[in-house]
Amino acid sequence: MPGDMVISAVLRTDLSPVPASLEVTLRGSEEIDKQAVEGNFLIAGSYNYEFQIIKVEKSNDVAGAQGKDVYPPLSITALYRPCHKISFRRSSAVIKEGATLGEVYGACGASVRIESDFSIKKFSCFIGGVPSYHIAVSLQEEGGAVFLDKGSVRFLRLEDLFKQKSSITISEDAAQEIASGFLERHEIPFFYSLDEQGKFVFGNKSKVRAAQYQPRTDSRLLRNLSKAIVTRKIARLDFSPSINAGSIITVGKNDYVVITAAHAFISGTDGEGVDTYSKFWLGTLEG
């Protein structure tokens, strides 16, 4: 579409089962109104990713006009198309045992290639469930995360994320710091279970945290369940679309993994100033 039809766009990547999303605000027109409907898809980004439209909102704040017809701007939310089906509630159950992550994605309606695939001991998503939630649980149990890398979905263990080469180094002053051990201990529990003899099996309980029972789980999975990447810093930098979730940014002398990357484009066609930037939420591994 013509560039002057785009008021703003934000392409976001995350360490999550649906690894990318797009939020776009468009100037309204007869043609845009016909095409910007739920179920259609957009192509955006350096790698021409496809995004399925799941929500369209019309605003009355600012309106364009063509003859006698007034077309308000449209705000569109779209999900990475190859994965978008795993975010919908299921009309049928998916139950797998010993299947790979790629096979689970496929059974839930996604069409992605998983790099560094692994086997999931048990996976279940019943009727009415949302597969992305249950995939996230499986990723947590295996102590890993998925992210989008040039059209492929990659899986890496949380520790291995930090073994990657840094994409960029910035100064300490370029990032806002976030620190709260208080919140961490409230939000990250430790887990325990019972073995076949009825004896307790514990995960990492080195810190005072809430205890949560996880049935039929061994010590390895229990330890993984308490591992989490905690947001430590937020950095707003020049437009850097090649740096996304799963990348490493060095702040000062310390490495941080990108949890979420948001690449923003504001065209200025609505009277506001032109602006492009990238915003990164950066974290370290805890637990």
Side-chain angles (χ1 to χ4, degrees), residues 143-159:
V146 293
F147 56 94
L148 192 58
D149 183 16
K150 300 177 183 178
S152 296
V153 175
R154 292 187 64 193
F155 167 81
L156 280 180
R157 306 288 177 184
L158 297 181
E159 292 87 351

Side-chain angles (χ1 to χ4, degrees), residues 130-253:
V130 180
S132 59
Y133 169 79
H134 299 282
I135 291 172
V137 171
S138 295
L139 291 170
Q140 186 70 40
E141 290 176 347
E142 290 299 324
V146 293
F147 56 94
L148 192 58
D149 183 16
K150 300 177 183 178
S152 296
V153 175
R154 292 187 64 193
F155 167 81
L156 280 180
R157 306 288 177 184
L158 297 181
E159 292 87 351
D160 292 337
L161 283 171
F162 293 88
K163 295 177 182 178
Q164 301 176 102
K165 183 180 179 181
S166 177
S167 298
I168 189 175
T169 299
I170 62 175
S171 67
E172 292 279 0
D173 295 340
Q176 172 190 347
E177 185 173 0
I178 301 172
S180 180
F182 173 82
L183 290 178
E184 287 176 37
R185 296 191 184 190
H186 276 72
E187 294 180 359
I188 304 175
F190 83 85
F191 293 81
Y192 68 96
S193 189
L194 297 174
D195 62 18
E196 294 179 356
Q197 288 74 41
K199 296 181 180 179
F200 284 105
V201 180
F202 294 99
N204 183 358
K205 59 172 186 173
S206 59
K207 296 180 180 179
V208 179
R209 294 170 169 169
Q212 188 166 321
Y213 176 67
Q214 191 77 3
R216 299 179 298 279
T217 306
D218 60 33
S219 59
R220 181 184 71 87
L221 294 184
L222 291 172
R223 288 192 299 272
N224 285 339
L225 286 170
S226 290
K227 290 181 181 178
I229 295 178
V230 178
T231 304
R232 298 297 188 194
K233 294 182 181 293
I234 300 175
R236 174 172 163 155
L237 307 176
D238 292 338
F239 192 66
S240 308
S242 63
I243 303 175
N244 285 288
S247 299
I248 296 294
I249 291 180
T250 302
V251 183
K253 296 181 179 180

Side-chain angles (χ1 to χ4, degrees), residues 38-59:
E38 186 176 357
N40 282 355
F41 68 92
L42 304 167
I43 297 176
S46 302
Y47 301 103
N48 291 325
Y49 294 147
E50 292 184 357
F51 293 89
Q52 188 87 12
I53 297 174
I54 62 166
K55 183 181 178 183
V56 179
E57 289 184 87
K58 290 187 177 182
S59 169

